[in-house]
Each structure stands twice: as C-alpha cells, then as structure tokens.
Amino acid sequence: MQLFNREQIRQAVAIDHHALTAVEEGFAALGRGEVVQPPILSMAIEEANGEVDVKTAHIRGHDRFAIKVSPGFFDNPKIGLPSLNGLMMVFSARTGLVDAVLFDEGYLTMVRTALAGAIAAKYLSRDSSRRVTVLGAGEQAIRQVEALRLVRDIEIVDVWSRRGSAAEEYAETMRGAGLTVNVHGSVREACAMADIIVTTTPSQAPILEAADLPEGVHVTAMGSDSSDKRELAESVLTRADAFVCDTRAQSESNGELKAFHGREVPFKVHELGQVIARGDRLRLSDATITVCDLTGTGVQDTAIAAHALNRLG
C-alpha cells in the first residue's frame, strides 16, 4: 500500500487539461450507464457543528475505485484549523486490496469540483463567453474561474459576496491572475453583463432570481450540496430553457431540485454525463438560458483519484 500526502499530490495534480479529461471521461461513463454509484453516506455531528460525507463509485472496466471520506467541521477556524479535510482510499477493483491512501486533506475534491464547473460550461455556455459572474468569494470561487479558463477565454470577472471585504480580497487575487475584476454591491448588478454565472456559496436561502439572468446566460450552481442549502430561486429553474444536474437523485435531495419537494418537476431534467455521452445540444441559440446544478459525485472522486495515482507513478 502506498501513502501520499497533500504536498506530493499537489505537485502531481493541477487544474489542467489532463485532469479535466479524466473527470470528463468519468461523467461520460456515468452517462453511458457504466458506473456503479451508491447514494452519498452523510452523518451529522451536531455538537461540533460538523458533518462527514462518504462518496464512492466504480467505473466498470477500471482497475481501481476510490472511497472518499470528507469531514467538514465548521467551527474549526475559531481554533486555527481548516474547516474541510479528508482522504481518499483507492482499492483494486480485481482483488479489493488497498492500493493507496491519498491523504489529500480535501485538495483533490477542490480540483474535481472546479473541473466539474468547467465541464458544465464547456457543454452549456456560449463558445464566445468571456465574462463570468461569481457569487461568493471563497477558494472555490477562485478555482472555478481557474478551471473555466481551460474551456473559455475568460477576460472579465464580476464578483459579489455578502462580505464586501472578502470580495475585495478576491478581486485582488484574480487581478493577479491577469483578469479584469469588478466588485458589486448587489447580485443583480453583478450579473447584468454575464455570459456565465457561478454560485459558490453555503447559502441556505436562494440568492439568485430569474430577474437577475441576462439573455443567453449559463448558470452553474456549486454551493448546494446538502439538504439545508439552496442558492437558486425556483424562478431560475423554471426560466431556464435547459436544466442539467450531475445526478437527479442528488439534486432532489441535496441540490436545487429541492425547490420542488413533494411536487412534480415542471421541466425536463438532463444529467450532465448523458449530455456528454450522447452529444446532446441543449444550447439552441445564443439566447438560450441554461442551468447546471452540481452536487458532487463519487465518480468524480474515483476519476480524480485514478488520475492522481497515474501522475504519482
């Protein structure tokens, strides 16, 4: 069994075209029905304001599969510790023996989450997209734009955050990456000129409304990944010409389809893997509005873990 730490993994794996291809191929395999992917195992540790998620998937024909354990303890910053941590255990798909433990401390999750947003934009946004609005100013807000630049020639970033100081710090970081960045005081103002909107917040109430959407925009919602989170108003979902998610079941339990809990969803739901595998064209014109809800899947974890081991040699 091999053991790799975060620094070793960080040196081997980056947000680049190689990792993008690995995650995209994982989604395509899911869309073709070649993946065994059980529901997420989630456990709350309420007295410590913590939660633990366990995700896994097996891609048929692949030599390895991963099981990821991802704790989030949200009071940790008060004692000088990071909120998120975790590791991935990689097993042989032939013998069940442990091949490796990737003690990445959440790094690979960050990478594959950012790449999923880029993959959604690759298939759903206008090819000519140059301007992205980011709602939220944390690490994933940075990484989403980094990954987007693999598939679109992003030049301008508009940012909104509930904390203005965080938005200003984010702007300085992104300007250092050669981008023009504008900080806005409202969501509507931030979205007015967007080609792509990315929501990256832990919000428990919708922050984006249909009235905020310019013609032809693509929206990727990243933040809602548990039963108590939501970023998109129901009006955003019904306004969209095409709604896509990573898996419908997860979107209904953890993602934006919770808006229709107990009711029939009044539009067709597409899954990203099937869009990729079948070559579906959901953007019919430059005026088409598309929405993609990403809750994070086990197949992404198996795909990025296999990519990491290949790079680590």
Side-chain angles (χ1 to χ4, degrees):
M1 183 186 76
Q2 298 173 289
L3 176 63
F4 299 97
N5 63 33
R6 179 189 175 103
E7 184 56 26
Q8 291 171 300
I9 296 165
R10 189 190 64 78
Q11 290 182 14
V13 178
I15 295 175
D16 60 18
H17 286 285
H18 300 291
L20 181 86
T21 297
V23 176
E24 186 173 345
E25 288 177 350
F27 272 120
L30 183 64
R32 292 192 298 266
E34 298 170 358
V35 174
V36 180
Q37 181 171 269
I40 300 169
L41 172 64
S42 295
M43 179 174 68
I45 303 178
E46 295 178 356
E47 64 271 27
N49 191 22
E51 63 185 28
V52 181
D53 289 339
V54 180
K55 296 181 180 180
T56 187
H58 168 53
I59 304 172
R60 292 190 181 96
H62 282 219
D63 292 337
R64 300 181 175 114
F65 67 93
I67 299 176
K68 182 182 76 175
V69 181
S70 181
F73 280 65
F74 303 107
D75 290 339
N76 277 3
K78 298 175 184 176
I79 55 173
L81 296 173
S83 297
L84 302 178
N85 207 294
L87 54 83
M88 295 187 182
M89 298 167 285
V90 186
F91 297 80
S92 166
R94 289 179 288 110
T95 66
L97 298 179
V98 180
D99 282 347
V101 175
L102 302 173
F103 186 48
D104 67 311
E105 302 177 60
Y107 175 78
L108 291 175
T109 296
M110 178 275 290
V111 170
R112 62 80 151 154
T113 301
L115 293 170
I119 292 163
K122 175 180 175 180
Y123 285 91
L124 299 171
S125 71
R126 292 182 295 235
D127 292 343
S128 60
S129 296
R130 299 289 183 271
R131 189 163 184 162
V132 59
T133 293
V134 181
L135 305 182
E139 181 180 37
Q140 196 55 222
I142 295 171
R143 301 308 174 191
Q144 284 291 320
V145 176
E146 181 181 349
L148 268 178
R149 297 179 84 181
L150 297 174
V151 300
R152 295 291 181 263
D153 294 326
I154 300 300
E155 299 171 350
I156 302 172
V157 178
D158 296 280
V159 61
W160 169 88
S161 175
R162 283 196 173 95
R163 292 192 303 115
S165 59
E168 293 291 350
E169 290 173 11
Y170 174 85
E172 286 304 306
T173 297
M174 302 310 286
R175 287 171 186 141
L179 293 160
T180 298
V181 186
N182 307 301
V183 177
H184 298 275
S186 71
V187 170
R188 185 160 300 178
E189 180 183 287
C191 294
M193 302 294 290
D195 296 313
I196 298 169
I197 298 170
V198 183
T199 62
T200 66
T201 74
S203 181
Q204 296 185 352
I207 57 173
L208 186 67
E209 304 279 347
D212 302 324
L213 304 179
E215 184 179 81
V217 75
H218 166 67
V219 178
T220 298
M222 305 297 308
S224 181
D225 58 1
S226 64
S227 60
D228 61 342
K229 296 178 184 176
R230 275 190 59 199
E231 294 183 297
L232 307 184
E234 182 177 328
S235 63
V236 172
L237 308 184
T238 55
R239 172 65 185 87
D241 298 298
F243 176 84
V244 181
C245 54
D246 42 19
T247 81
R248 179 168 183 154
Q250 285 185 198
S251 186
E252 288 175 342
S253 61
N254 291 353
E256 298 298 341
L257 287 180
K258 292 194 302 290
F260 300 98
H261 179 68
R263 295 180 287 150
E264 183 176 348
V265 178
F267 47 79
K268 183 173 182 179
V269 176
H270 304 267
E271 293 194 347
L272 182 59
Q274 293 176 353
V275 170
I276 296 168
R278 297 193 301 233
D280 293 344
R281 291 182 58 83
L282 301 182
R283 175 165 291 280
L284 303 180
S285 75
D286 282 349
T288 298
I289 292 177
T290 55
V291 172
C292 187
D293 177 32
L294 299 175
T295 53
T297 60
V299 73
Q300 292 168 251
D301 296 315
T302 283
I304 199 67
H307 171 69
L309 279 182
N310 289 338
R311 297 300 292 266
L312 288 161

